[in-house]
Amino acid sequence: MPQTLQERILLVEDDPAFGTMLNEALDAKGYRVQRVSRAEDGLARLRTERFDLILTDVKLPGMSGLESIPHLKQMAPESDIIVMTAFSTKEMAVEAVRQGAYDFFSKPFSLSELEIVVRRCMEKRQLQKKLAQLRSNLLSSGPAGCIVGESTAIRMVKERIERIAPLETTVLILGESGTGKELVSDTVHALSPRAGNPFIRVNCAAIPENLFENELFGHEKGAFTGAAQSQAGKFELADKGTILLDEIGDMPLSIQPKLLRVVEQKQVERLGGRKPVSLDVRIIAATNQHLEELMREKRFREDLYYRLNVAVIQLPALRKRKEDIPLLARHFLNRIRTQLALDVEGFTPGAEAALQAYDWPGNVRQLANVLEGLAISAAPGRIEERHVHRALRGTGEPASAQDLPQDEWSPHRCLASLPHGPINLKDSIATVERNLIINALQRTRGNQKEAAALLALNPKNLWAKMQKHDILSTEIEAPLL
């Protein structure tokens, strides 16, 4: 049963028998074919019709197929051209491709060979259309864009992503915490030819050092006590796709030589394995640390740095693009309204000015978190300047007791959880610490990296404290009352 396709092919062939055979073969595959016998007739068709592919013979009455290529490209720059001839030479093939042909065939050729090349050409065109649409979304301004912002700084980031994404090169994303490194890595993958394949994320700051190698490279059955079966690591899971090594600056020095080998050779060796596993994977690394300083301190290998530092995307801090704050604020508010079903009308001019005046040390992530609280506080109605000032208190600005919200972060709330009567200071501090950790995890919906940032902790330290306090997932799922 032939497939129904929308792709249109213009066939320029003066041999009636050969032209009919090609026409029928392509029709059977579902392509819509229009056949003419002269290059001049083909150019006339292109004045009024659009074709995805032009199949042309070289030896034609009047203008030859080779001579017609520049005219065809001028009339239909988005159409691909495949040249066919019974009098081929290497020089002719090179000249056809130089003029702009997609491919070159010597007669006689098998129909199956032609069908494969035509199909690949059409698949390439579909991918190009998809990438063009994604690029259009990326470069569009406002909340509809993948990356929100109209400032010069953020437009430069978008243009940089557009140039780098289609390439196979390693990418290094740099920027302060909360600037959107994960969003940028998502966009790079989405705009790449690997978009339909796996995208595996690894948070290097959250993996205990003794588990790092197994997490990245996997293990064979019996490699260590408890290894009852073989298990693929993150790199193998990312085969044919992309792997994000987030917080690469926190990767233990002992693992870095093994990662360097993977970057250079595109192979991994499982724990307990005897032969390497070949990979086809694109690597994106991201960090908020200064890798050059880590190298000077002998905490990051120079050779690994130079392997990763190929295509760099530097993200600006939010304080460096304050003109984007109102746009970001409206974007986040629209999302929060939908997610939480809140009746919030928007911002007063004073509220927007107050948001724009603040430096946002936690960058875009902090802005999103603050806006969620603002939306809850202001509903129903509009977010006013007083709401913003109240939400931003505790960042160095003095506040009166009545202005401080008595929520789960309040010291009063923490003290209320302590037992009455004699207080054991050590146990009481542990209780307060445990409650604050649970609340941070609830606020970030279990995201340990974001919770660690709220608590000013290293993610590894947060993980250790969660084990110490025996914090259960059920305590994180429902907020404390």
Side-chain angles (χ1 to χ4, degrees):
M1 185 85 179
Q3 53 184 329
T4 303
L5 299 173
Q6 297 300 315
E7 289 93 342
R8 304 189 70 217
I9 297 176
L10 175 63
L11 175 59
V12 187
E13 174 57 66
D14 65 323
D15 183 327
F18 188 69
T20 299
M21 180 186 68
L22 287 182
N23 201 332
E24 291 176 352
L26 293 169
D27 275 341
K29 292 297 178 181
Y31 298 108
R32 296 165 58 194
V33 183
Q34 294 290 331
R35 182 160 65 93
V36 295
S37 58
R38 293 162 42 91
E40 291 85 351
D41 295 336
L43 291 169
R45 286 274 188 147
L46 290 173
R47 291 191 181 94
T48 57
E49 298 181 66
R50 182 196 65 80
F51 294 92
D52 297 283
L53 176 64
I54 302 168
L55 278 171
T56 180
D57 196 0
V58 170
K59 191 173 177 62
L60 296 167
M63 184 186 297
S64 75
L66 281 182
E67 291 172 336
S68 73
I69 292 176
H71 302 285
L72 294 171
K73 294 300 290 183
Q74 183 177 8
M75 292 288 294
E78 295 182 357
S79 300
D80 287 306
I81 301 172
I82 294 178
V83 176
M84 309 172 293
T85 182
F87 308 97
S88 68
T89 64
K90 181 179 179 181
E91 290 75 17
M92 184 183 290
V94 169
E95 179 62 19
V97 172
R98 191 186 70 81
Q99 293 276 13
Y102 171 76
D103 211 335
F104 185 94
F105 276 98
S106 298
K107 297 178 183 177
F109 52 80
S110 68
L111 288 176
S112 60
E113 183 182 5
L114 177 66
E115 288 166 3
I116 289 171
V117 173
V118 169
R119 186 178 73 248
R120 286 177 179 170
C121 178
M122 296 304 186
E123 288 172 350
K124 181 208 70 171
R125 293 180 62 82
Q126 289 299 319
L127 178 60
Q128 287 175 334
K129 288 178 183 178
K130 180 180 178 182
L131 291 177
Q133 183 59 50
L134 287 167
R135 288 186 183 115
S136 176
N137 290 341
L138 171 67
L139 295 174
S140 64
S141 302
C146 298
I147 298 175
V148 179
E150 295 179 343
S151 64
T152 301
I154 209 66
R155 283 191 172 274
M156 290 174 64
V157 168
K158 292 179 181 182
E159 291 168 3
R160 180 76 171 157
I161 292 170
E162 185 189 12
R163 286 197 300 272
I164 290 173
L167 309 177
E168 287 296 311
T169 186
T170 300
V171 180
L172 179 61
I173 305 172
L174 303 174
E176 295 179 7
S177 179
T179 49
K181 295 187 290 297
E182 190 169 339
L183 174 61
V184 169
S185 68
D186 290 346
T187 307
V188 169
H189 176 70
L191 291 177
S192 77
R194 299 172 179 265
N197 296 325
F199 182 38
I200 304 298
R201 298 170 178 83
V202 179
N203 184 354
C204 298
I207 304 173
E209 184 170 354
N210 62 323
L211 300 179
F212 227 108
E213 188 172 357
N214 181 53
E215 188 78 9
L216 290 183
F217 311 132
H219 64 261
E220 296 290 356
K221 180 179 179 181
F224 50 84
T225 303
Q229 58 186 12
S230 298
Q231 180 177 307
K234 299 294 188 185
F235 270 97
E236 285 186 70
L237 295 176
D239 191 36
K240 302 293 189 298
T242 306
I243 188 168
L244 168 64
L245 301 174
D246 200 9
E247 306 299 346
I248 189 72
D250 290 303
M251 176 173 283
L253 196 59
S254 61
I255 302 297
Q256 293 177 26
K258 296 171 184 178
L259 174 61
L260 177 64
R261 195 179 311 123
V262 175
V263 176
E264 290 179 334
Q265 301 175 5
K266 290 296 189 291
Q267 291 181 332
V268 296
E269 287 190 23
R270 292 182 178 182
L271 286 171
R274 296 185 177 180
K275 61 179 181 179
V277 179
S278 296
L279 298 172
D280 173 18
V281 63
R282 184 184 194 176
I283 297 173
I284 301 177
T287 183
N288 61 1
Q289 301 194 54
H290 296 286
L291 295 182
E292 294 90 345
E293 290 183 10
L294 295 181
M295 285 192 298
R296 286 193 293 270
E297 297 168 2
K298 306 299 182 185
R299 294 164 52 199
F300 202 86
R301 292 178 61 104
E302 285 191 35
D303 46 8
L304 178 58
Y305 170 74
Y306 292 124
R307 282 291 183 179
L308 297 176
N309 190 37
V310 178
V312 179
I313 301 174
Q314 178 72 57
L315 301 187
L318 189 53
R319 62 183 175 277
K320 299 288 182 64
R321 57 179 187 112
K322 286 194 170 185
E323 60 267 45
D324 289 331
I325 290 176
L327 196 61
L328 282 162
R330 294 180 206 123
H331 167 72
F332 288 129
L333 185 61
N334 286 336
R335 190 173 71 183
I336 292 163
R337 271 193 297 223
T338 302
Q339 290 176 343
L340 303 183
L342 292 173
D343 183 17
V344 185
E345 297 174 12
F347 303 89
T348 65
E352 284 197 353
L355 289 170
Q356 200 165 8
Y358 186 60
D359 273 347
W360 301 103
N363 293 295
V364 179
R365 183 187 295 125
Q366 183 190 9
L367 175 63
N369 289 335
V370 167
L371 281 168
E372 185 170 345
L374 283 171
I376 294 169
S377 300
R382 287 205 296 173
I383 295 174
E384 301 177 8
E385 185 176 358
R386 61 187 176 88
H387 296 135
V388 176
H389 288 310
R390 185 178 299 168
L392 295 178
R393 292 227 170 92
T395 59
E397 181 183 346
S400 60
Q402 60 267 29
D403 283 339
L404 288 171
Q406 301 300 308
D407 63 6
E408 64 268 26
W409 288 92
S410 167
H412 301 284
R413 178 66 176 270
C414 294
L415 290 172
S417 65
L418 299 179
H420 296 288
I423 295 176
N424 182 304
L425 182 60
K426 182 178 178 180
D427 292 343
S428 299
I429 290 173
T431 300
V432 171
E433 183 177 69
R434 189 178 193 279
N435 286 345
L436 287 173
I437 290 172
I438 291 172
N439 287 321
L441 289 165
Q442 288 174 347
R443 284 198 167 198
T444 59
R445 297 178 177 85
N447 187 312
Q448 293 183 29
K449 181 179 174 182
E450 292 185 7
L454 281 176
L455 296 166
L457 289 174
N458 182 294
K460 291 180 181 177
N461 292 338
L462 175 61
W463 184 85
K465 289 179 181 294
M466 289 172 64
Q467 304 306 306
K468 170 186 169 184
H469 294 301
D470 195 23
I471 295 176
L472 305 174
S473 60
T474 53
E475 297 177 272
I476 298 170
E477 291 167 0
L480 292 176
L481 300 176

